[in-house]
Each structure stands twice: as C-alpha cells, then as structure tokens.
C-alpha cells in the first residue's frame, strides 16, 4: 500500500538523520507508483531522485524528479508492468 511506502521512506530518512520532509506528497505517491511498492526498488528510485535533486540544488524532491529518475532507470510504470 502507498502508506507503507511513505512510512518506509520517512523512517529511512529519520534513521539517516533527516527530520524535515524531503519528498513532497506527490513525490511519495510517484515513488510508490513507479517502484510498484517494492522496498528495494523504492530505495533505489529514491536514491536516484536524491542525486538528481542534489544536482539541481533542490531542497524538496517533487514528482517531476521522481519521474525523471524513473526514466533514467528505464522502469515501466506500475500500470504498464501488468
């Protein structure tokens, strides 16, 4: 479920020392959609998005960054995967 993805990402960020939100709500929904809710893929896509966000000097990751990172990974969307 999308709530599990949000919890996974937020917990990972807190464990890494980040207290403030880093992904906006649309980005978290896109993370879930593009990674199919699979934790390993969520983590990988989030890593790519964080690199892209850092390169663009963004303080918050949005859905456009998630989409760009997904395209870089060449993953199909969840809908296309089924």
């Amino acid at each position: 479920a999308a709530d599990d993805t949000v919890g996974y990402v937020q917990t990972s960020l807190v464990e890494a020392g980040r207290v403030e939100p880093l992904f906006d709500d649309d980005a978290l929904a896109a993370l879930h959609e593009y990674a199919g809710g699979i934790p390993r893929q969520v983590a990988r896509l989030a890593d790519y998005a964080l690199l892209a966000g850092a390169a663009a000097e963004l303080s918050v990751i949005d859905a456009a960054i998630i989409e760009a990172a997904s395209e870089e990974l060449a993953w199909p969307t969840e809908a296309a995967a089924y």
Side-chain angles (χ1 to χ4, degrees):
D3 288 345
D4 293 334
T5 298
V6 171
Y8 173 75
V9 171
Q10 302 297 34
T11 298
S12 296
L13 290 170
V14 169
E15 288 175 356
R18 178 72 181 206
V19 178
E20 301 85 19
L22 188 55
F23 294 88
D24 70 20
D25 291 342
D26 291 338
L28 290 168
L31 260 175
H32 179 76
E33 176 186 343
Y34 284 107
I38 300 166
R40 184 174 292 175
Q41 291 183 350
V42 169
R44 186 163 182 219
L45 182 53
D47 285 345
Y48 270 70
L50 288 170
L51 287 171
E57 298 182 1
L58 300 176
S59 59
V60 176
I61 304 299
D62 61 19
I65 295 294
I66 301 297
E67 182 177 350
S70 179
E71 289 173 3
E72 188 68 28
L73 288 167
W75 286 347
T77 63
E78 183 180 16
Y82 296 101

